[in-house]
């Protein structure tokens, strides 16, 4: 990951915090520096909410998600069932066995249709009782040459960039890299 790409990602996230219009571009930058297909926030609580802002490459998948697939999102259901805590960084492999994924309609009929595979998620509270997952989505097929970084590794790199203890922890960087 080039340092300038990472800095451009942080700049894009901060710019989007002041004006919601650039959020798709900011999420595209996040997916670029994490070598993921796309990035998006997925509301977990309240459960009926659906994502509205995604990186551009996830626009069609987001449209299908909002049109009904959200009610079948097994990752959100697993988060509720397991009572996962805010601040966790997890992957699909932590939620499901390969056999469960192979039988799951959300993975097989929705995600695969859009070329999406495993994801990495960070559970983030908003301070008012809502819980969202900032999600990095991986391709269903093998990564192209030169794009071998796993989403979990990239998410850990973003997490390492969080402000030091005692620093102000508000704004969009906290949304992406908070603990």
């Amino acid at each position: 990951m080039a340092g300038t790409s990472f800095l451009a990602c942080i700049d894009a996230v901060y710019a989007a915090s002041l004006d919601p219009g650039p959020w798709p571009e900011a999420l595209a930058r996040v997916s670029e520096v994490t070598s993921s297909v796309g990035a998006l926030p997925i509301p977990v609580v309240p459960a009926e909410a659906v994502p509205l802002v995604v990186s551009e490459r996830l626009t069609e998948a987001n449209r299908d998600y909002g049109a009904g697939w959200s009610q079948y999102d097994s990752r959100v259901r697993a988060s509720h069932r397991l009572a996962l805590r805010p601040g966790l960084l997890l992957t699909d492999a932590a939620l499901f066995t390969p056999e469960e994924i192979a039988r799951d309609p959300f993975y097989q009929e929705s995600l695969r249709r859009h070329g999406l595979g495993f994801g990495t998620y960070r559970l983030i509270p908003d301070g008012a009782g809502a819980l969202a997952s900032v999600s990095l989505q991986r391709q269903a097929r093998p990564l192209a040459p030169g794009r071998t970084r796993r989403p979990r590794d990239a998410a850990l790199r973003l997490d390492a960039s969080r402000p030091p203890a005692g620093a102000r922890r508000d704004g969009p960087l906290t949304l992406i890299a908070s603990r």
Side-chain angles (χ1 to χ4, degrees), residues 67-90:
W69 276 107
S70 62
Q71 64 184 321
Y72 301 104
D73 190 340
S74 46
R75 301 165 302 181
V76 171
R77 288 196 321 262
S79 296
H80 291 182
R81 183 180 69 248
L82 299 171
L84 297 175
R85 297 178 327 274
L88 288 177
L89 175 67
L90 60 142

Side-chain angles (χ1 to χ4, degrees), residues 35-163:
S35 297
S36 56
V37 175
L40 68 154
I42 299 176
V44 175
V45 175
E48 66 277 358
V50 296
L52 300 174
V53 179
V54 298
S55 56
E56 186 177 328
R57 291 181 66 189
L58 296 179
T59 301
E60 185 178 330
N62 185 51
R63 192 174 10 259
D64 286 352
Y65 190 84
W69 276 107
S70 62
Q71 64 184 321
Y72 301 104
D73 190 340
S74 46
R75 301 165 302 181
V76 171
R77 288 196 321 262
S79 296
H80 291 182
R81 183 180 69 248
L82 299 171
L84 297 175
R85 297 178 327 274
L88 288 177
L89 175 67
L90 60 142
T91 66
D92 290 348
L95 296 175
F96 307 105
T97 66
E99 295 78 21
E100 289 171 323
I101 290 173
R103 292 188 314 263
D104 188 89
F106 183 72
Y107 281 93
Q108 301 308 316
E109 297 174 32
S110 178
L111 294 178
R112 292 234 182 239
R113 190 176 100 174
H114 296 287
L116 302 174
F118 290 99
T120 299
Y121 317 96
R122 167 69 93 173
L123 298 176
I124 310 281
D126 77 345
L131 180 65
S133 164
V134 175
S135 305
L136 305 174
Q137 299 294 270
R138 188 170 183 183
Q139 295 177 16
R141 58 193 186 290
L143 293 175
R147 295 185 54 106
T148 58
R149 198 177 310 122
R150 296 180 320 199
R152 180 184 184 281
D153 296 337
L156 288 172
R157 293 182 99 170
L158 280 173
D159 187 51
S161 70
R162 73 187 193 297

